[in-house]
Amino acid sequence: LSLLDGEKGDRGVEGPSGGLGLPGVKGDMGAKGFMGDKGDRGRIGVPGTKGEKGDLGPKGDKGDMGDVGMKGNEGIQGEKGSQGEKGMSGPIGPCTPAIQSAFSACLNDSFPAPDLPIPFPDVITNRQGHFNPNLGIYHAPVNGTYVFSYHAAVSSRVLKIGLFYNFFPIARTTEITNEATTSHQVVLHLYRGDMVWLQVKDRTTNGMFNSPEHKSTFSGYLLYPDSCELPAIRTGPPAGPTVKPTYMWDPPTNTTTKP
Ligand SMILES: *[C@@H]1O[C@H](CO)[C@@H](O)[C@H](O)[C@H]1NC(C)=O
Ligand SMILES: *[C@@H]1O[C@H](CO)[C@@H](O)[C@H](O)[C@H]1NC(C)=O
């Protein structure tokens, strides 16, 4: 700097405006601003495309019971079942009154008369009274099957004796031994009112003997009746023949068959 420097001049006139400068360097990023106000609601978008089919959902709850259905058609008959077991036996039934008839009687007098039924007045048994001891005739009280027997003591004479059913000799026996017995037993089917008796042949063959130790008996009983129905037997058996019949040793000639 020199020693002659004048004084400082006056301020020059303002020069023309300079040309445009070069752009400056980009500054540093500013601090984050404050949050703005909420914007307005946007417009409804266009519908999207249909999605894919979803997975099968879980099983639902059990539904309510339905109404009762209509009756079905009748089925075909089943097979027959097998036989059941035998049941227990029932109680004892009521007692039914039996038709009863039985007799047994002894000869009272030796050497009975021929051509007549032999009387057996000495009765052992005759509760129903179907045997007439003085006539010696048994009357059947019901249709049924009967048993008759005789055991005759023989002494002093030959004995020819027969068991007669309605005048027909069913069985005849001959005993020629002294101090012996002859006997027979038959089963007969009789109808109510039929008659059974014993008879000797004649006066030379009536050796039927009676003593306390020579007993001759005539017996009979109902084995079983034809029917269980009780007949009206309270009045006793039917009466015998009204006209006195002829009792013959030989069977009636006018009958060809047994009664
Ligand atoms: C048997 O005979 C005797 C003597 O003949 C008689 O006294 C008796 O009365 C008779 N008995 C009957 C039951 O008929
Ligand atoms: C007994 O037998 C006779 C002859 O067959 C018959 O007419 C009658 O009805 C019989 N009586 C009874 C009770 O069965």
Side-chain angles (χ1 to χ4, degrees):
L1 241 182
S2 76
L3 288 132
L4 300 160
D5 290 332
E7 287 171 42
K8 193 176 174 187
D10 298 323
R11 188 177 177 121
V13 184
E14 192 171 327
S17 183
L20 194 61
L22 293 171
V25 183
K26 187 177 181 184
D28 294 328
M29 187 169 174
K32 191 176 178 181
F34 297 110
M35 190 171 172
D37 294 332
K38 190 177 178 182
D40 294 330
R41 186 190 171 113
R43 286 181 297 167
I44 292 175
V46 291
T49 54
K50 186 177 179 185
E52 290 176 45
K53 184 172 180 182
D55 294 330
L56 191 67
K59 185 174 177 182
D61 294 331
K62 188 176 179 182
D64 293 329
M65 187 169 173
D67 295 332
V68 176
M70 289 201 302
K71 184 177 177 182
N73 294 328
E74 191 174 334
I76 53 168
Q77 187 174 359
E79 284 180 42
K80 187 178 178 185
S82 53
Q83 186 176 0
E85 286 179 41
K86 187 177 180 184
M88 292 195 300
S89 61
I92 296 169
C95 178
T96 52
I99 301 166
Q100 297 176 335
S101 187
F103 77 95
S104 195
C106 292
L107 191 72
N108 195 24
D109 295 309
S110 299
F111 313 126
D115 304 323
L116 275 178
I118 303 170
F120 288 85
D122 197 357
V123 170
I124 299 172
T125 305
N126 189 25
R127 297 191 69 167
Q128 297 80 22
H130 298 153
F131 178 67
N132 185 323
N134 296 317
L135 291 179
I137 299 174
Y138 176 80
H139 286 92
V142 291
N143 299 356
T145 299
Y146 296 75
V147 178
F148 295 94
S149 63
Y150 63 81
H151 292 76
V154 184
S155 189
S156 311
R157 297 177 202 168
V158 166
L159 175 61
K160 286 181 180 288
I161 187 171
L163 188 145
F164 287 73
Y165 162 37
N166 289 356
F167 305 97
F168 192 94
I170 294 294
R172 297 190 291 201
T173 57
T174 300
E175 183 56 65
I176 61 169
T177 313
N178 195 24
E179 299 290 319
T181 60
T182 183
S183 63
H184 218 85
Q185 184 175 52
V186 292
V187 176
L188 292 176
H189 181 268
L190 306 181
Y191 295 106
R192 172 176 159 81
D194 280 348
M195 300 185 295
V196 177
W197 67 85
L198 299 183
Q199 195 173 326
V200 292
K201 186 178 181 184
D202 55 41
R203 292 195 180 280
T204 61
T205 59
N206 64 345
M208 200 171 175
F209 192 76
N210 181 67
S211 86
E213 296 183 357
H214 294 76
K215 281 296 161 191
S216 297
T217 56
F218 178 33
S219 302
Y221 56 89
L222 171 64
L223 187 59
Y224 52 84
D226 282 1
S227 161
C228 286
E229 289 167 37
L230 264 180
I233 57 171
R234 292 195 180 281
T235 53
T242 48
V243 179
K244 191 171 186 298
T246 306
Y247 296 93
M248 311 277 288
W249 176 255
D250 292 313
T253 50
N254 57 354
T255 50
T256 52
T257 54
K258 287 185 184 181

